[in-house]
Amino acid sequence: MTATRNSMRQKYSISRYYYTKLFEVSLYGGSLIRPLFFEFPHDSGVYAKTESMFMIGPALLVAPVLHKGAVLSYPYCTNEDWYDLRTFAKVYSYKPGEKNGAEVKVPGGFDFVPVLIRGGSIIPYQPIERVNRITSMPKMLMTLLLAPDHNGEAKGTIVVDDGVSIDTIKNKTYTHLEFKFSMDRKIMVVKILNNRNPQMNTEEMVTSITVLGAEKLASKPSLCVTITENERFPMYGSFNRVTGALVYRKARGEIYWEDVLRVDFLSDCN
C-alpha cells in the first residue's frame, strides 16, 4: 500500500510536466518516453549501462529498483549536472573535458522510484500529499522547479488549458509559456507562446519558485517579479544548506504566470 501511494503521489507531482510534453509531442512530433541514447547519442556509456533506465521527455531520468530487497539505485548520469527530484540535492556534477558520464548511487527501494532531473531544465512541479483524482490537480498550487546546468542556465515550458474542452489545439484555447533562467545574470524571462486559455487555473498562479544548486543566490534569498515596469512585487525564500535548494514563496494575491515579464533574483524590488 505504501509503495502504491508513494508512486501515485510521485506521478501526480509531475503530471503537469507530462501534460506539457505530450502536448508538445502532438504539435512537433517526437516521443515522451525514450531511451537514453535517443537523448545522448554521443555518450557511449548510455548504450551499455542503461537498459533498465529511461527518460521522460528531455528533463527526467527514471532509474527504478528492480531487484528484491535492494535499497539503492545506480543510475548512469551523462556528463551534465543532475539532481534528485525527491530530495532536490545534486547527485552528479559536470566534469570539464570528460566525454562520458558515470554511475552514481542514490537511495531507492520498493516504496518509491528514483527520478533525476537534468541540469538545464525548468519543469512545473506540484508537491502532493493527498490527491484522489487527476481532475483535482488544477486546484492545487504549483511550483516552478529550476535546475541549472553547469553554465547556470535553465529553460522549460508549461502548457495549461481547461482540461475538458475538445479541439484545444485547433482553437488555440490554451496557454503555452516558455521560461529561460540565467544564474549569472540573476534573471528569469517569461515568454508567451500562446495565451488563449479561457479559464484561469490555480496552477497558473505565481506561488513559489524552487531553484536547485542555488548556493550563488543564498546570500540574499529574495527576488522581484515584474508584471509591468510600474508593477512589481517581491518574493522571499529559504535556503537549505544540505540540499542546496532555495524556495521562494509569494505571500498572497493572485498573479498568473502569463502576466509576468521577468523575475530578478537577489532583488527585493527596492
Side-chain angles (χ1 to χ4, degrees), residues 31-52:
S31 61
L32 175 68
I33 307 300
R34 57 191 77 168
L36 269 69
F37 61 80
F38 273 29
E39 197 69 32
F40 311 103
H42 302 298
D43 187 325
S44 61
V46 303
Y47 297 92
K49 301 177 181 293
T50 63
E51 66 275 0
S52 63

Side-chain angles (χ1 to χ4, degrees), residues 83 87-90 211-215 239-246:
Y83 306 83
T87 65
F88 294 162
K90 183 182 288 189
V211 184
L212 309 186
E215 288 81 3
F239 179 66
N240 187 317
R241 297 186 181 278
V242 176
T243 65
L246 180 50

